[in-house]
């Protein structure tokens, strides 16, 4: 794919990110699989990296916002999607997710936003991070209003991962290579492993403990991660709670301590916060009214 930079100017630009395409392409390139449950993307870091990349392309330009297009069952946002929605300059737009984990309605959301912003002269440049041929008409419509369309793609693990008609229609194309993608992703460890088979990294017991809110949020993140790795049906076996099986509780603690690099074992209040965050996410997923921990 050719790599071309647009001439610098002081116009306004927006990023339109097709999350399904980006996650699958990064997964194949870095982790060797497009199966979303097999790896985790640091969405906040990825968005920051995309903004920095756009800043390099438009050094005198102004970012309107990042549009983050993803799928969710019944359009109910996941824990991760809620976290992304809280980020500055980011608007999360959700299509549906069918029984086969395929996104539905995402392309129409991208088309609608791209055409609307172009028609209302809200942007001069549109950065579209996608590979779907269904966006060709939207690109043409935006160009008819004078918007330059920059198509960014993830370096293919093999072959091509963007439709040729879309590549042909774009004004400028850019490839985000392995070095850009690798820091945004890490593969999931098997969550069924016991602490003995999967020892935790060395942790410190000194220093300033994390806050209750930080640990609660981490509990929700781990639940989200496990839902993706183990599958919804497997996690449903833990419901309705409020107690976790001993092996699962230990695995949750080890996972959290590994990420925090801090031992939670002397801090009963923080361990409770971790479990509460974990259960809050599962209760949200399965529509269960929260109840106190036993």
């Amino acid at each position: 794919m050719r790599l071309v930079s647009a001439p610098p100017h002081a116009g306004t630009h927006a990023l339109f990110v097709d999350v399904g395409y980006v996650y699958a392409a990064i997964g194949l390139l870095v982790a060797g699989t497009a199966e979303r449950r097999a790896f985790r993307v640091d969405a906040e870091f990825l968005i920051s990296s995309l903004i920095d990349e756009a800043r390099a392309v438009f050094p005198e330009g102004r970012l309107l916002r990042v549009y983050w297009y993803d799928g969710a069952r019944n359009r109910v946002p996941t824990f991760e999607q809620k976290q992304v929605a809280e980020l500055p300059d980011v608007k999360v737009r959700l299509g549906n997710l069918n029984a086969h984990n395929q996104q539905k309605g995402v392309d129409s959301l991208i088309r609608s936003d791209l055409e609307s912003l172009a028609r209302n002269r809200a942007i001069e440049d549109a950065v579209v991070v996608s590979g779907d041929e269904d966006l060709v008409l939207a690109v043409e419509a935006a160009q008819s209003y004078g918007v330059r369309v920059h198509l960014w793609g993830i370096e293919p693990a093999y072959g091509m991962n963007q439709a040729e008609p879309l590549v042909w229609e774009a004004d400028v194309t850019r490839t985000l290579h392995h070095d850009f993608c690798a820091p945004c992703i890490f593969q999931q460890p098997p969550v069924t492993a016991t602490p003995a088979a999967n020892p935790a990294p060395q942790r410190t017991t000194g220093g300033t403990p994390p806050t209750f809110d930080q640990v609660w949020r981490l509990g929700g993140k781990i639940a989200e991660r496990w839902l993706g790795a183990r599958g919804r049906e497997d996690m449903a076996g833990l419901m309705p709670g409020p107690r976790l099986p001993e092996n699962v509780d230990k695995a949750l603690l080890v996972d959290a301590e590994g990420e925090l690099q801090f031992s939670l074992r002397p801090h009963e209040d923080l361990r409770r916060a971790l479990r509460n965050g974990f259960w809050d996410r599962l209760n949200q997923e399965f529509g269960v009214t929260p109840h106190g921990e036993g």
Side-chain angles (χ1 to χ4, degrees):
M1 182 180 293
R2 59 198 173 98
L3 176 61
V4 183
S5 295
H9 60 86
T12 300
H13 59 277
L15 277 67
F16 304 81
V17 183
D18 180 349
V19 177
Y21 161 78
V22 171
Y23 277 32
I26 288 181
L28 275 175
L29 179 64
V30 180
T33 176
E35 183 62 39
R36 196 155 167 173
R37 68 180 61 185
F39 57 87
R40 187 159 70 93
V41 172
D42 186 336
E44 183 174 357
F45 183 82
L46 173 59
I47 290 169
S48 176
S49 299
L50 288 169
I51 292 174
D52 287 345
E53 190 78 7
R55 189 176 292 119
V57 174
F58 311 108
E60 301 175 21
R62 181 181 76 91
L63 172 67
L64 177 65
R65 66 181 59 91
V66 176
Y67 291 85
W68 188 257
Y69 301 92
D70 205 357
R73 297 195 186 283
N74 300 316
R75 292 187 169 86
V76 176
T78 65
F79 186 83
E80 179 191 87
Q81 288 163 346
K82 287 183 177 182
Q83 288 186 311
V84 171
E86 293 175 359
L87 297 175
D89 302 319
V90 177
K91 177 178 282 294
V92 172
R93 302 276 274 145
L94 296 178
N96 207 356
L97 200 63
N98 66 18
H100 303 288
N101 290 323
Q102 297 171 324
Q103 293 182 353
K104 298 296 179 182
V106 169
D107 293 338
S108 62
L109 290 173
I110 299 175
R111 288 198 301 268
S112 174
D113 288 337
L114 181 56
E115 291 181 29
S116 176
L117 291 173
R119 183 172 59 253
N120 289 290
R121 303 290 195 266
I123 55 175
E124 285 76 39
D125 293 271
V127 175
V128 178
V129 192
S130 182
D132 199 321
E133 186 173 350
D134 289 344
L135 296 178
V136 168
L137 292 179
V139 169
E140 292 176 340
Q143 289 169 331
S144 72
Y145 291 108
V147 171
R148 286 176 56 81
V149 177
H150 306 247
L151 179 67
W152 291 6
I154 305 300
E155 177 186 351
Y158 50 83
M160 288 188 65
N161 59 18
Q162 291 177 294
E164 283 190 333
L166 184 62
V167 174
W168 297 335
E169 206 60 46
D171 296 297
V172 182
T173 61
R174 192 176 191 87
T175 300
L176 304 174
H177 294 281
H178 187 280
D179 289 346
F180 176 95
C181 300
C184 304
I185 184 175
F186 52 93
Q187 291 177 264
Q188 301 280 31
V191 298
T192 54
T194 63
N198 186 25
Q202 187 175 4
R203 297 173 292 275
T204 177
T205 56
T208 304
T211 67
F212 185 97
D213 185 64
Q214 287 172 330
V215 178
W216 177 84
R217 282 176 169 270
L218 179 57
K221 285 177 61 178
I222 292 173
E224 179 77 19
R225 190 185 309 165
W226 287 12
L227 280 164
R230 299 176 67 166
R232 197 171 184 275
E233 292 183 4
D234 190 15
M235 295 295 286
L238 300 176
M239 304 303 292
R243 291 187 179 276
L244 287 170
E246 184 178 355
N247 65 322
V248 176
D249 192 55
K250 287 181 178 178
L252 173 62
L253 183 62
V254 168
D255 202 342
E257 290 179 331
E259 187 155 334
L260 291 168
Q261 292 293 292
F262 184 92
S263 176
L264 299 177
R265 297 171 199 229
H267 304 276
E268 174 59 32
D269 58 332
L270 294 181
R271 296 203 306 275
R272 183 175 290 110
L274 178 69
R275 296 187 190 105
N276 287 346
F278 183 87
W279 280 120
D280 285 349
R281 176 63 188 95
L282 292 190
N283 289 335
Q284 177 195 55
E285 180 71 20
F286 295 103
V288 175
T289 302
H291 42 66
E293 181 189 21

